[in-house]
Amino acid sequence: MAENKRFKKMSKKSKYAAYMYLAIAVCVVAVMTVSIYSLSFTDDPSELGISIPEIPTPSLPDQTGTGDTSDNSSAAQVDGTESNVDDTIIEKPTFVVPLEGTVTKKYSMNALVYSSTMKDYRTHSGVDIKANEGDPVKAYTDGKVRDIYEDDLMGRVVVLEHDYGLCSYYMNLADNLPDGLEVGSEVQAGDEIGYVGTTAALECADGPHLHFELTVNDELIDSYKEIKAVNG
């Protein structure tokens, strides 16, 4: 009997504790709901006790060299004064065909062509222009004389050096050269730099003609196409 009373008394205490915990949980939920509702209507972070760090405005780089980094872009105005822009006109180089005559052999480094002198087929590193012996040979474009020499195979040779790594070679020339022409001489496009001859042993069977070559940075280019482009 005493045991029964003690059990009932413990049951009442357990129910009372459960009610207390439930009440506390309800209070906690209510407080959280009110807080969240308040936050949704607050625009000023300071009211919430949150401190937002201030982000500094970036300064403009100093373009004047005086330490002044202020933005002066709106102060620049067109005041009619002359600009410092160099308005020098760069003239295009002039090119001329070095000799008026008949092309008898074209540039051919990828295919073999017949050599009347050697009686065989071989490559041809320039363009041959047939003319009368003694006809004047002209500078392809502005430049200066880089070399004058006698080649065992190609006879009298004059080499002109031009801009941008371009060089022009005039071979099979006559022994006599224009007065005053020497290494270092400045020449203009169309100036006489030699005369048609027959000094090239390698091409002696082809008669009087100019053997003309072009290189860029010491690499051969198609001289026939270049002079054809000059003629249009």
Side-chain angles (χ1 to χ4, degrees):
M1 189 70 176
E3 190 68 28
N4 236 356
K5 288 181 178 180
R6 190 160 61 88
F7 179 75
K8 288 180 178 181
K9 191 175 182 179
M10 289 179 63
S11 295
K12 289 180 178 179
K13 288 183 178 180
S14 297
K15 289 180 179 180
Y16 178 75
Y19 291 143
M20 288 294 293
Y21 289 139
L22 180 60
I24 291 171
V26 171
C27 290
V28 170
V29 171
V31 170
M32 291 179 64
T33 302
V34 172
S35 299
I36 294 172
Y37 182 77
S38 299
L39 285 171
S40 65
F41 288 94
T42 301
D43 294 328
D44 187 359
S46 62
E47 295 181 6
L48 305 177
I50 301 174
S51 176
I52 299 178
E54 181 181 353
I55 301 175
T57 302
S59 60
L60 295 174
D62 177 15
Q63 298 178 349
T64 64
T66 60
D68 182 9
T69 58
S70 59
D71 184 5
N72 296 321
S73 58
S74 61
Q77 298 179 355
V78 178
D79 56 5
T81 58
E82 295 183 2
S83 69
N84 293 325
V85 178
D86 185 3
D87 57 357
T88 302
I89 298 176
I90 300 176
E91 296 183 0
K92 292 183 179 179
T94 301
F95 297 95
V96 301
V97 177
L99 177 66
E100 295 296 336
T102 303
V103 173
T104 56
K105 194 175 295 184
K106 300 177 182 179
Y107 173 91
S108 182
M109 294 301 291
N110 295 322
L112 301 179
V113 294
Y114 185 72
S115 168
S116 300
T117 303
M118 304 305 295
K119 308 296 183 184
D120 63 9
Y121 287 86
R122 58 183 60 210
T123 59
H124 192 245
S125 55
V127 56
D128 288 351
I129 304 173
K130 184 178 180 180
N132 296 319
E133 189 168 2
D135 282 353
V137 175
K138 301 175 182 178
Y140 175 61
T141 188
D142 297 351
K144 66 179 181 179
V145 179
R146 189 176 81 173
D147 205 356
I148 300 174
Y149 61 93
E150 291 288 335
D151 185 86
D152 291 340
L153 298 178
M154 297 308 299
R156 174 60 63 95
V157 179
V158 172
V159 183
L160 301 184
E161 187 175 48
H162 313 285
D163 292 334
Y164 311 111
L166 176 68
C167 284
S168 54
Y169 295 75
Y170 310 80
M171 304 180 181
N172 196 40
L173 297 176
D175 289 327
N176 60 310
L177 295 174
D179 293 339
L181 188 77
E182 58 187 16
V183 174
S185 297
E186 298 285 340
V187 297
Q188 303 296 313
D191 286 353
E192 293 184 7
I193 53 86
Y195 306 101
V196 174
T198 55
T199 57
L202 188 62
E203 297 183 349
C204 62
D206 296 328
H209 69 279
L210 168 69
H211 178 96
F212 178 67
E213 295 185 5
L214 289 172
T215 64
V216 175
N217 297 327
D218 296 325
E219 295 290 333
L220 281 168
I221 62 173
D222 192 333
S223 49
Y224 172 71
K225 285 184 177 180
E226 298 302 320
I227 62 172
K228 185 178 179 182
V230 173
N231 280 330

